[in-house]
Amino acid sequence: MNNDDFLSGLQSLVIHGDQEAGSGTEETALAPAIYPASTYSARSLAEFAQMANQPRHPRYYARYGNPTQERCERLLARLEGAQAALLTSSGMGAMSTTLFALVRAGDHIVAQTAHYMGSAQLLTDLLPGLGVEVTLVDQRDTNAFFAATRENTRLIVVETPSNPTLTLTDLAAIAAFARSRGITTLADNTFASPINQRPRDFGIDLVLHSATKYLGGHSDLIAGVVCGDDDAVEKIWERAIMLGTNVSPFNAFLLLRGLRTLPMRVARQNENALALARFLETHPAVAHVHYPELESHPQHALAKRQMRHGGGVLSIELKGGEGDEQGFHAAQAFVAALKIARHAVSLGGVETLVVHAASMWEASLTPERMRQAGISPSLVRVAAGLESAADLCADMAQALPGTGD
Ligand SMILES: *Cc1c(COP(=O)(O)O)cnc(C)c1O
């Protein structure tokens, strides 16, 4: 799970990887310009014809793209080892636009039982209503993906590690199978970030992120991105301009600013999450810790094959009594007692965030669905920030029962 050369290579890439040889201010300014223009004028009829007819011209009409966005996309594509990237208004914008580009009525998708809630709703509610069939399988069972495919299967959607139990999907095995059948593969790589896992290295076609999380990294923007081959990304862009899921130039700028420190931030979040996981694993009030880099993770061998480190997110289950009711209340009491970790959804920012999964999904998931998704009433998700590991462990210790003050 280690590769220091890889990390230092990425650190140079995020500083310089968006630049293009050119002339003038664009090239000499050390920070990219923000272009708020909604439209761009042509200097000649010929130039207008060229602007209007070239796909993804960055200086035509801002729903189609803009120069700040183009710079950020160049860097993101390189980070994910892809030819091209498309920035979108949000992670859900990337997911919905990609799905609408790839499937139509009569097509079939294989996806996981565990997905980000918004993606799960798209797959199980919106798409079936539009005539797209979707089969969900347990991501731990690679053969279940194979068994679920049919003649009309166009797409396999995976998310690894998945929320909130850090369960993994075997990227290489699924990519190889899909390729042999001509089925496109799409991986939501938000939790790992390209620092810890690059699905394209294992043969996955399209890689998607909520850039709101690690890529942006400062809890101050909403954006998404999808990376892949030139023609695939152009097809998704054609949908994006129809759906209006374009990113704003300001957010493209903020995202580029966040990306400069991505490898350093994620390295620290990896360290903090591992320190917390190891500390909590030995704590008497904690029943279970879910974290791919722990030897106790049931898919630890797979984690070592496809991840460099375990990432910044872990989840824990508290002991708090035998009954569901007691577990629920123990988790709530723990979250309420934390002083450094903030109680908020989302992840990937500089500050440590915790959420009690059962409270978050009480309104949208039945207890039955929650059990299926492995979400026990006492499960708390921890998204490590950049604070000191010692402070974070001390905060958790004082919030857990049975350890003094
Ligand atoms: C947050 C998240 C999304 C959705 O992204 P938004 O930027 O909030 O639209 C999708 N997938 C995963 C894994 C996420 O964590």
Side-chain angles (χ1 to χ4, degrees):
M1 276 203 175
N2 227 321
N3 193 333
D4 291 342
D5 289 348
F6 176 82
L7 192 63
S8 55
L10 283 189
Q11 188 54 59
S12 300
L13 178 67
V14 295
I15 306 296
H16 302 290
D18 55 309
Q19 263 135 24
E20 203 180 26
S23 56
T25 320
E26 278 273 330
E27 197 190 23
T28 56
L30 287 189
I34 305 170
Y35 291 87
S38 60
T39 189
Y40 296 81
S41 65
R43 281 160 296 202
S44 68
L45 291 171
E47 191 184 24
F48 185 79
Q50 197 239 332
M51 284 158 64
N53 294 299
Q54 177 196 319
R56 304 198 65 191
H57 196 297
R59 291 171 181 81
Y60 174 55
Y61 182 61
R63 178 157 40 79
Y64 289 46
N66 72 78
T68 319
Q69 171 183 348
E70 191 191 39
R71 248 179 109 150
C72 189
E73 284 167 344
R74 195 177 307 132
L75 178 52
L76 284 164
R78 296 181 71 181
L79 269 173
E80 280 294 1
Q83 289 175 342
L86 174 69
L87 273 179
T88 55
S89 50
S90 65
M92 283 310 299
M95 182 56 90
S96 58
T97 306
T98 302
L99 293 175
F100 282 127
L102 296 178
V103 296
R104 51 181 62 231
D107 289 344
H108 176 243
I109 297 175
V110 179
Q112 304 179 171
T113 46
H115 272 294
Y116 177 74
M117 177 67 74
S119 308
Q121 284 168 339
L122 260 177
L123 288 162
T124 59
D125 188 6
L126 189 73
L127 287 181
L130 299 173
V132 177
E133 295 177 291
V134 180
T135 305
L136 302 182
V137 299
D138 182 333
Q139 71 193 98
R140 291 167 295 190
D141 182 359
T142 304
N143 287 322
F145 286 89
F146 307 160
T149 59
R150 306 176 192 164
E151 216 190 306
N152 59 340
T153 305
R154 292 279 166 274
L155 177 67
I156 297 178
V157 187
V158 299
E159 182 177 328
T160 179
S162 69
N163 186 32
T165 54
L166 289 305
T167 306
L168 309 185
T169 312
D170 188 333
L171 292 169
I174 285 163
F177 168 80
R179 210 151 263 206
S180 74
R181 298 289 200 89
I183 299 169
T184 302
T185 46
L186 167 66
D188 184 333
N189 201 31
T190 302
F191 267 44
S193 90
I195 307 307
N196 289 319
Q197 172 176 280
R198 295 213 307 180
R200 300 258 311 169
D201 295 346
F202 302 98
I204 295 288
D205 297 312
L206 293 164
V207 181
L208 176 150
H209 286 271
S210 167
T212 312
K213 314 292 168 55
Y214 290 100
L215 302 182
H218 294 76
S219 310
D220 58 4
L221 68 92
I222 299 273
V225 67
V226 56
C227 307
D229 286 349
D230 284 324
D231 48 349
V233 173
E234 192 179 314
K235 217 173 123 189
I236 299 166
W237 170 81
E238 283 167 7
R239 280 291 175 274
I241 62 174
M242 280 182 207
L243 295 169
T245 46
N246 53 293
V247 73
S248 88
F250 294 95
N251 279 356
F253 168 84
L254 272 181
L255 179 53
L256 201 40
R257 184 180 167 122
L259 287 171
R260 303 292 185 215
T261 53
L262 176 71
M264 296 170 69
R265 284 188 284 106
V266 171
R268 171 69 168 221
Q269 281 159 321
N270 286 335
E271 283 169 22
N272 281 354
L274 183 61
L276 280 169
R278 291 214 189 285
F279 166 70
L280 292 165
E281 199 175 34
T282 58
H283 196 285
V286 176
H288 197 76
V289 178
H290 303 271
Y291 188 62
E293 202 165 343
L294 288 182
E295 294 72 16
S296 60
H297 189 283
Q299 296 169 292
H300 183 63
L302 175 59
K304 276 165 72 173
R305 283 206 299 279
Q306 67 187 25
M307 299 182 77
R308 282 182 193 82
H309 284 288
V313 182
L314 61 142
S315 60
I316 63 173
E317 287 172 55
L318 300 181
K319 280 188 181 150
E322 296 308 307
D324 283 3
E325 192 81 6
Q326 285 139 295
F328 189 93
H329 292 300
Q332 286 198 324
F334 168 64
V335 166
L338 289 166
K339 293 180 174 138
I340 295 176
R342 309 277 295 262
H343 187 188
V345 295
S346 198
L347 51 115
V350 297
E351 53 289 291
T352 297
L353 302 182
V354 295
V355 276
H356 177 217
S359 316
M360 173 160 65
W361 288 313
E362 218 169 7
S364 43
L365 288 185
T366 61
E368 173 63 18
R369 274 286 292 128
M370 257 195 258
R371 243 186 306 277
Q372 275 174 5
I375 303 166
S376 84
S378 73
L379 187 129
V380 175
R381 183 184 78 192
V382 180
L386 306 183
E387 301 93 336
S388 105
D391 287 347
L392 292 176
C393 290
D395 190 27
M396 303 269 157
Q398 65 79 30
L400 286 167
T403 48
D405 66 359

